[in-house]
Amino acid sequence: MLRQVLDNAFYTFEEELLNAMTECSTNDDIMAIRSVVERVRDQIQLQFSSDASLATRKFYKSVICAILLPCLVKLVSPVCKPMLEDIQKRIPDEFHDIMDIEDLFEKHLRTVLAAVIHTVVEKETAVEEDDEEEKDVEETSDDKED
């Protein structure tokens, strides 16, 4: 997933750079071309950082869900199994092939767990970003004092 994000960043850099370079006239000096390259590079680095962060969070969410779901199913199955069997008995036989109550129950657990994991990961990400901003502000103020 991160490999695809990196490939996309390189492709976008190349395209943006070519577009920017065609906008520059051939008479532009080296400094103007250099500033165009730096501007495009900075834009792509910012976008890559954002995309990589999203991909990393998505990866963490899927790993956490894969670890916790079997434990959750094992934990709630003894309590829910009798209710699920009762519901399964009430479904007409013609629908048993297309409607599996246990599968629906596990999908629902996965959805609930994914929502909880999403909330936790996003809150933790926000806390980390706030901590980084505070650290940057402290470093900036320390630099000004020197």
Side-chain angles (χ1 to χ4, degrees):
M1 186 182 305
L2 285 175
R3 175 67 181 192
Q4 183 65 39
V5 171
L6 184 61
D7 289 344
N8 290 346
F10 276 112
Y11 175 79
T12 304
F13 177 75
E14 182 179 20
E15 289 297 311
E16 292 291 325
L17 186 59
L18 288 174
N19 289 340
M21 294 302 285
T22 56
E23 292 173 7
C24 291
S25 67
T26 55
N27 296 334
D28 286 343
D29 63 357
I30 293 293
M31 293 306 289
I33 294 172
R34 182 178 179 188
S35 83
V36 168
V37 170
E38 288 174 355
R39 179 180 50 83
V40 170
R41 183 198 66 211
D42 292 344
Q43 290 173 346
I44 299 305
Q45 281 180 335
L46 184 62
Q47 185 62 43
F48 172 73
S49 177
S50 174
D51 291 348
S53 177
L54 288 173
T56 301
R57 287 196 309 258
K58 186 176 180 180
F59 173 74
Y60 284 145
K61 289 175 191 177
S62 65
V63 168
I64 293 168
C65 191
I67 292 170
L68 293 180
L69 185 63
C71 299
L72 182 61
V73 169
K74 188 176 179 181
L75 184 67
V76 299
S77 286
V79 175
C80 297
K81 189 90 168 161
M83 289 184 280
L84 294 175
E85 289 172 354
D86 187 43
I87 294 170
Q88 187 72 31
K89 289 177 188 175
R90 295 175 192 267
I91 297 175
D93 291 337
E94 295 82 25
F95 293 108
H96 280 248
D97 292 339
I98 57 172
M99 186 182 285
D100 182 10
I101 293 299
E102 289 185 17
D103 185 47
L104 289 173
F105 178 70
E106 188 169 321
K107 285 180 184 177
H108 181 68
L109 282 178
R110 178 175 284 124
T111 302
V112 169
L113 183 61
V116 171
I117 290 169
H118 174 78
T119 302
V120 170
V121 169
E122 294 304 317
K123 282 184 180 179
E124 183 61 30
T125 301
V127 168
E128 287 177 3
E129 288 172 356
D130 289 344
D131 289 346
E132 286 178 16
E133 288 175 11
E134 288 177 12
K135 184 179 177 183
D136 290 342
V137 168
E138 288 174 4
E139 288 176 359
T140 303
S141 65
D142 288 346
D143 290 343
K144 288 181 182 178
E145 291 175 4
D146 291 340

